[in-house]
Amino acid sequence: MKKTIAMLLAAAMILMLFAGCGSSNSTSSTQGTTTCVTRTEAGVDAENIYAPYVGTELTFLRHSGYEADWMAQKAAEFYEISGIKVTIEQIAYSELKNKMMLDISSPDGAYDMVATTEYWLSEFSEGNWLADMNQFINNSALCDVSFDVEDIAQSVIDANTIDGKLLAMPWKFNGQLLAYRSDLIDTPPTTWDEYLALAKQLTEGNMVGVSLPLSLNSLMDVYLNLLYQAGGSFLSEDNKVCNLDTPEAKKALEFLIELNQYTTSGATNNQWPEASAVFQQGNAAMYPTITSQLNNLVDPEKSTVSDCVGYAELPGQVACLTTWGVGISSNCKAPEAAWLFIEYMLNPENTKELVIGTAGADIPVRSSLLLDEELNTSYASFKYMNEIVSIPGHTWAYPKTTCTSAIMEALAVHVQNALLGSESTDDALANAKTDIEKLLNS
């Protein structure tokens, strides 16, 4: 297992290998300096850590779901011990980034903290919209020793660092794997041919072979997984050239068009939750999912197939891996108080509680929890994702550019057009390449 963790930390470095489009330098200039000087060591009275901020009110914006409800619970607990009130505002994931950017880019923004994935950070860094958390980590008066920042791998910290500034404190990996009906499938598919054959075989009546999330907000993951599985790549190393004019890119899109025959008729409207719901209702034999949806699959109150869910690596053995973290807005009224909340909410004890509450769907970035025997024994998906992300070459990460969201949207539009038949395979890839390279080089 220790080998697994060592390989995991190496895999997490993938998250830093991309820089571009207005490319951003994600390498921390303070690597190795995330050691927290405790208040005791600095001679600060631990009982007074919250005293300067009693009565402070903060607002935290994030997408809705179990995590948001859990964070609201932690906020209530935090208020009782600190006198600092944190309101968790929830919004649909599809609306999160736009609302966040409108707010934190305004001098009069209302949000003090935001939930963010690391591939948005280059855009936020360009506008100086998030505070550098190194200033709080290195402030002994704010250091809660129970937070144990050294338990979070430096490579993961670096993945959330742009130009030496730590812009978000990560709490989890977001990976992808295949969920399947273990009562219908004895051996999960490991190749594209097996995947397609099973999907075709199990599509009958109200049952589809595979539930695919093919909306514009999720389609890019589905397609790019296939592209990397085929041996292709999305962008050049300098993030100036889009590699969609390759045989691998065409092969991936042609396979997706074939697989699309065996999914729901409205799949192009389905994001991850909608695709998950099809599987939960017993209407799909397979579902390539993100880990954040796993708890819904095994919750008996939400899933009719909770007792017969199996897990496997995606056929083709390559999948997207990102991190999610909490950032502090540059407009924050009391950034020190916000940091104290983050330390409390994301300490090891609370993070383990979140993993258990999500039935292993939250894959923590903390080494101690990845090694935790109870978690690995209790949750098949947790253990399996732990193993997947530890294998070199089995994950890919979004490029870190100041226009990553825009290039992903351009890709999704043309791939979806190919699925709907309004563009040929060749035209869709050529047009996507043209649009993306305009964005990359503007």
Side-chain angles (χ1 to χ4, degrees):
M1 191 65 172
K2 290 182 179 179
K3 181 179 179 182
T4 295
I5 295 301
M7 296 175 74
L8 171 70
L9 303 186
M13 289 294 289
I14 296 171
L15 299 171
M16 302 184 297
L17 295 180
F18 300 89
C21 178
S23 57
S24 299
N25 178 7
S26 63
T27 303
S28 170
S29 62
T30 56
Q31 290 185 13
T33 62
T34 53
T35 300
C36 179
V37 178
T38 67
R39 297 186 301 281
T40 301
E41 292 169 339
V44 178
D45 185 351
E47 294 182 0
N48 292 330
I49 185 172
Y50 302 125
Y53 312 104
V54 171
T56 299
E57 296 189 7
L58 303 169
T59 305
F60 176 19
L61 176 68
R62 61 150 296 142
H63 47 302
S64 56
Y66 175 87
E67 281 182 341
D69 295 337
W70 177 86
M71 289 181 177
Q73 177 187 335
K74 293 298 116 179
E77 293 175 6
F78 183 68
Y79 178 70
E80 291 298 319
I81 66 172
S82 70
I84 300 169
K85 183 177 181 180
V86 178
T87 299
I88 310 296
E89 182 171 324
Q90 303 186 36
I91 190 173
Y93 173 75
S94 59
E95 302 173 28
L96 177 64
K97 183 167 180 280
N98 286 341
K99 184 167 186 176
M100 186 191 308
M101 290 187 70
L102 285 172
D103 185 85
I104 64 177
S105 63
S106 168
D108 301 317
Y111 299 117
D112 302 287
M113 290 170 282
V114 293
T116 176
T117 185
E118 101 282 333
Y119 64 81
W120 292 343
L121 295 179
S122 293
E123 296 175 69
F124 298 163
S125 174
E126 187 179 39
N128 294 313
W129 297 333
L130 295 180
D132 179 9
M133 291 187 172
N134 286 310
Q135 64 186 302
F136 311 122
I137 291 175
N138 295 323
N139 184 342
S140 58
L142 299 174
C143 188
D144 183 347
V145 68
S146 67
F147 178 65
D148 191 9
V149 70
E150 292 182 313
D151 189 33
I152 302 172
Q154 187 65 43
S155 56
V156 178
I157 294 291
D158 290 345
N160 287 270
T161 298
I162 304 293
D163 296 329
K165 298 178 180 180
L166 177 60
L167 300 183
M169 179 53 64
W171 81 84
K172 72 169 183 177
F173 290 107
N174 208 18
Q176 299 181 23
L177 72 165
L178 181 70
Y180 66 93
R181 289 277 298 277
S182 58
D183 58 329
L184 301 177
I185 298 172
D186 293 328
T187 304
T190 59
T191 68
W192 284 8
D193 287 343
E194 292 172 354
Y195 193 17
L196 189 64
L198 267 176
K200 180 178 181 180
Q201 174 190 333
L202 295 170
T203 297
E204 184 176 0
N206 293 327
M207 171 75 73
V208 296
V210 57
S211 181
L212 295 173
L214 301 180
S215 76
L216 295 179
N217 290 316
S218 49
L219 176 55
M220 55 279 199
D221 279 11
V222 177
Y223 172 72
L224 288 176
N225 283 338
L226 296 173
L227 174 61
Y228 282 97
Q229 290 166 14
S233 62
F234 183 37
L235 302 180
S236 60
E237 290 187 5
D238 63 0
N239 285 350
K240 298 297 183 184
V241 178
C242 178
N243 298 326
L244 293 180
D245 56 349
T246 62
E248 293 83 3
K250 185 173 182 178
K251 180 180 178 182
L253 184 51
E254 289 176 341
F255 177 77
L256 182 56
I257 291 171
E258 281 192 272
L259 193 63
N260 187 45
Q261 299 175 78
Y262 308 111
T263 192
T264 53
S265 58
T268 51
N269 296 316
N270 287 351
Q271 300 178 40
W272 294 107
E274 289 79 17
S276 179
V278 174
F279 187 88
Q280 291 165 228
Q281 293 160 7
N283 295 325
M286 295 178 285
Y287 165 45
T289 182
I290 52 175
T291 51
S292 60
Q293 292 297 317
L294 292 179
N295 58 315
N296 293 325
L297 306 184
V298 297
D299 184 343
E301 295 184 1
K302 298 179 180 179
S303 175
T304 63
V305 296
S306 61
D307 60 346
C308 53
V309 180
Y311 305 101
E313 191 169 6
L314 289 179
Q317 292 77 53
V318 184
C320 181
L321 178 70
T322 60
T323 62
W324 274 87
V326 182
I328 298 175
S329 167
S330 296
N331 297 322
C332 181
K333 299 179 284 293
E336 295 84 2
W339 171 251
L340 291 172
F341 172 66
I342 291 170
E343 283 189 304
Y344 173 77
M345 178 175 67
L346 301 182
N347 69 36
E349 180 180 354
N350 284 336
T351 302
K352 182 174 180 177
E353 179 186 309
L354 177 59
V355 174
I356 293 171
T358 60
D362 268 42
I363 310 297
V365 297
R366 289 187 171 277
S367 298
S368 63
L369 296 182
L370 289 166
L371 285 166
D372 189 283
E373 184 176 352
E374 177 188 358
L375 298 179
N376 281 275
T377 300
S378 300
Y379 307 115
S381 59
F382 181 88
K383 182 178 180 180
Y384 202 87
M385 274 305 306
N386 192 346
E387 294 172 352
I388 287 176
V389 300
S390 73
I391 304 172
H394 282 228
T395 58
W396 63 271
Y398 275 53
K400 280 189 173 179
T401 78
T402 56
C403 58
T404 296
S405 296
I407 64 176
M408 290 300 179
E409 181 179 350
L411 172 66
V413 165
H414 292 291
V415 170
Q416 192 178 84
N417 286 344
L419 293 174
L420 295 172
S422 59
E423 284 185 276
S424 68
T425 300
D426 289 338
D427 286 347
L429 293 172
N431 292 336
K433 175 180 171 66
T434 298
D435 291 351
I436 290 167
E437 287 181 350
K438 285 179 181 178
L439 291 165
L440 290 170
N441 297 291
S442 61

